[in-house]
Amino acid sequence: MFKMIALFKKPENPEEFDQYYFGTHLPLTEKIPGLRKINVTKFTGSPMGESPYYLMCEMYYDNKEAFKEASKTEESKASGKDVMKFAGNIVTFMFGEEVNE
């Protein structure tokens, strides 16, 4: 499977972030056609103490081509626009492929 990963640094107001992320942004993202699964991880620390990251969202697609097609949809564009609106200064995106399938 192909996945897009969003890593969020700790927001200024974690409670406000959580309310918006889980109440507004995640439901918007879940509407993206071709999106197979979403895993959200909230970090609690690291071996060195506090983690520089607050939250990770992994969005799974069948393959890279399915991701590219999904990215062209209005739902994907709406999700992308929304994340940049509320977290553009704290989010980093990466792409990857599962190797343990």
Side-chain angles (χ1 to χ4, degrees):
M1 293 194 99
F2 184 84
K3 64 182 171 179
M4 179 175 176
I5 302 160
L7 279 172
F8 296 88
K9 293 179 183 171
K10 188 171 183 179
E12 286 184 32
N13 185 329
E15 295 80 20
E16 188 177 288
F17 176 91
D18 285 356
Q19 185 176 12
Y20 189 86
Y21 184 82
F22 292 104
T24 301
H25 182 70
L26 200 55
L28 188 64
T29 301
E30 289 171 335
K31 295 179 182 176
I32 297 173
L35 180 62
R36 295 290 179 210
K37 175 173 79 168
I38 296 176
N39 283 341
V40 178
T41 303
K42 194 180 274 191
F43 296 110
T44 58
S46 77
M48 304 303 277
E50 191 172 332
S51 171
Y53 295 101
Y54 179 71
L55 187 132
M56 174 177 66
C57 178
E58 297 171 289
M59 295 154 279
Y60 290 83
Y61 297 86
D62 287 338
N63 51 48
K64 190 174 184 178
E65 292 72 33
F67 167 76
K68 286 180 179 181
E69 286 303 310
S71 297
K72 297 175 186 176
T73 66
E74 291 305 313
E75 294 88 347
S76 180
K77 291 174 186 175
S79 176
K81 185 176 180 180
D82 186 62
V83 75
M84 296 313 290
K85 177 183 79 175
F86 83 93
N89 59 333
I90 63 168
V91 68
T92 299
F93 296 101
M94 292 183 269
F95 302 107
E97 291 201 39
E98 291 285 311
V99 295
N100 61 340
E101 294 183 285

